[in-house]
Amino acid sequence: TRVIMGTDSLGSLWAVLLLPLVFGVPTEEPTVQESVAPHLTKGCQRCCDPEEPLFSADAVHAPVSPSFRYVLPEVRPYINMTILKGDKGDRGPSGTLGKPGKDGPRGDRGSQGVKGDKGQAGSPGSPCQMHYSAFSVGRKTAIHSSEDFLPMLFDRVFVNTDGHFDMTTGRFEAPLRGLYFFSLNVHSWNYKETYVHIVHNEQAAVILYAQPSERSIMQSQSVMLPLEPGDHVWVRLFKRERENAIYSDDVDTYITFSGHLIKAED
């Protein structure tokens, strides 16, 4: 014999089996036997008997047992954010610059760097940047006064920076505005008067004077003068009224005239 189940009963069975897959597994899941038993009616049939449904219409359309309950599964929605994430946008404009913050603590001193290469020499400065001037000259020849003032010339140079003292005229020319110092040393002549001027431009600044004496001695005079660029300083003998002379010889230098810049004002 074979058991034949009705079409409606098979449909109900498939519905029972598919419900857990669609809506979730119920909290109380019945067995297959419990689900099928109320709807299937078993019977025997011979092979030679005509095929007829073994179930009556009342049996086919019998309602499902109300004792079977299904509990819907708890549905928790899940959204995949990676799907909703869009492309990276463009960079926005810079914001307003904020106020400067407070100075932080001073850091430790760093290690000494590598010594750099030597720089190139600069171009020479202009002449007005020169803040020095000095000269010192001497004379080995005696000199006597004449009918007029007699400029004193010198025949020996000790110092003459940048040639500010002119040996041909016996005059020093100031290169800068400033304060200068000058000194004159001579040797008087026995029984003769010694009368010499240190001259600023054409005006006598100071006088070196020694009265006639039976002894010849060294005489000196010094002065500081404020000079302008181009001013001249030189030495002259007073014109003859008495026997006026300065002693010297060809061996020693008794007559010297020196000067130098103390402070430039430019």
Side-chain angles (χ1 to χ4, degrees), residues 67-89:
S67 62
F68 185 79
R69 288 178 63 248
Y70 292 95
V71 178
L72 293 177
E74 181 181 359
V75 180
R76 295 183 180 181
Y78 171 75
I79 300 176
N80 189 350
M81 299 302 296
T82 60
I83 299 176
L84 301 179
K85 184 177 180 180
D87 297 334
K88 184 178 180 180

Side-chain angles (χ1 to χ4, degrees), residues 1 18 55 57-58 67 85 131 142 174 182 185 194 203 206 262:
T1 62
L18 291 177
F55 310 102
D58 295 336
S67 62
K85 184 177 180 180
H131 288 168
F182 299 94
N185 295 276
T194 302
Q203 184 70 34
V206 292
I262 296 176

Side-chain angles (χ1 to χ4, degrees), residues 1-3 41-46 49 54:
T1 62
R2 56 180 179 173
V3 179
T41 305
K42 299 180 180 180
C44 295
Q45 184 180 6
R46 291 178 302 176
D49 293 338
L54 300 179

Side-chain angles (χ1 to χ4, degrees), residues 9-27:
S9 298
L10 290 175
S12 300
L13 178 62
W14 283 110
V16 171
L17 295 176
L18 291 177
L19 277 177
L21 299 178
V22 178
F23 297 102
V25 180
T27 55

